[in-house]
């Protein structure tokens, strides 16, 4: 019986916490109309104060250069006095994130972690967080972006082209005929009942090298949904953006920006296509 009562109490506490509403009015942070702190500044840097303004932190929104515009920033929390920093992600974007109210979104994230409460800034919890192990978000996001940039630069050296039949060409083709610059093929299909696109990339021997899926695809050997991602024959997954601007009227594979994005990502990550059988004969 006691166990059941405890479970009910936990559920009620959870419901109440979800019901709490944060509002920011002229710099006042209000929880259910009660002022619990203050915030000033504008995107990307906000300064958040305790109710008596004796303590404060800064919260700065950060993005990796050239990142997908749909990718949410991360938040760098800083104690300006000590200079110590750490990072958090927007983890509850479906319920609380708003691109029109970054300051309120940040407060919600701080509350989810206990760094901001109904009593305002939880200085002890914040200091423990700042003095703790680095979340490593910046290192990961900037490192990933660096890999993407390097792959893009490598793809540039191949001077890739795709014709209307889906033949992929490159100046680095290693074919018997020096004038033959084909290195593979790309095929677009829509095999799903919801009409989502799929692209297959094959080498010159017609072996499947990778498949790109537009949305919510599941494949054997990979336990996550594939959304605007390609998966290679050796189960590596890379992001390749969907872009339909190339064919405003009618359709031509040579104008398909998504197809080129898929091929560039594949080649830029070391899948040079061509014909292994042909190269082994040399």
């Amino acid at each position: 019986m006691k166990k059941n009562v405890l479970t009910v109490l936990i559920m009620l506490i959870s419901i109440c916490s979800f019901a709490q509403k944060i509002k920011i009015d002229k710099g006042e942070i209000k929880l259910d109309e009660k002022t619990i702190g203050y915030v000033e500044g504008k995107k990307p840097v906000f300064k958040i104060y305790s109710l008596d303004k004796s303590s404060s932190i800064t919260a700065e929104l950060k993005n990796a250069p050239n990142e997908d515009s749909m990718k949410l920033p991360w938040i760098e929390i800083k104690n300006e006095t000590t200079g110590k920093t750490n990072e958090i992600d927007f983890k509850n974007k479906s319920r609380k994130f708003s691109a029109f109210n970054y300051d309120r979104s940040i407060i919600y994230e701080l509350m989810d972690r206990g760094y901001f409460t109904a009593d305002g800034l939880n200085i002890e919890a914040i200091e423990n967080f700042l003095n703790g192990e680095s979340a490593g978000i910046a290192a990961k996001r900037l490192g990933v972006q660096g890999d993407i940039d390097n792959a893009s630069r490598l793809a540039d050296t191949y001077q890739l082209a795709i014709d209307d039949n889906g033949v992929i060409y490159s100046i680095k083709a290693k074919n018997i005929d020096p004038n033959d610059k084909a290195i593979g093929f790309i095929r677009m299909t829509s095999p799903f009942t919801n009409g989502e696109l799929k692209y297959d990339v094959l080498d010159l021997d017609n072996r499947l090298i990778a498949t790109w899926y537009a949305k919510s695809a599941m494949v054997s050997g990979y336990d996550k949904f594939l959304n605007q991602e390609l998966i290679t024959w050796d189960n590596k997954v890379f992001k390749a953006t969907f872009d339909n601007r190339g064919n405003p009227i009618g359709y031509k594979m040579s104008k398909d920006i998504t197809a080129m994005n898929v091929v560039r990502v594949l080649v830029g990550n070391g899948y040079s296509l061509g014909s292994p059988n042909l190269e082994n004969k040399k």
Side-chain angles (χ1 to χ4, degrees), residues 1 3 13 25 40 42 44 53 55 58 82 91 99 105 111 124 154 160 164 176 192 207 210 240 245 254 268:
M1 181 66 180
K3 186 175 181 182
I13 291 170
D25 182 17
E40 63 181 32
K42 59 182 180 179
K53 292 193 173 181
S55 304
T58 60
T82 64
K91 67 175 183 178
S105 299
M111 292 192 75
E124 182 179 357
L154 177 59
L160 297 162
D164 287 333
I176 295 174
F192 306 110
R207 286 181 296 199
R245 291 175 299 168
S254 61

Side-chain angles (χ1 to χ4, degrees), residues 65-78:
N66 304 315
E67 227 171 14
D68 184 342
S69 61
M70 297 301 291
K71 184 79 170 178
L72 294 180
W74 70 90
I75 310 164
E76 181 185 83
I77 305 300
K78 182 177 183 179

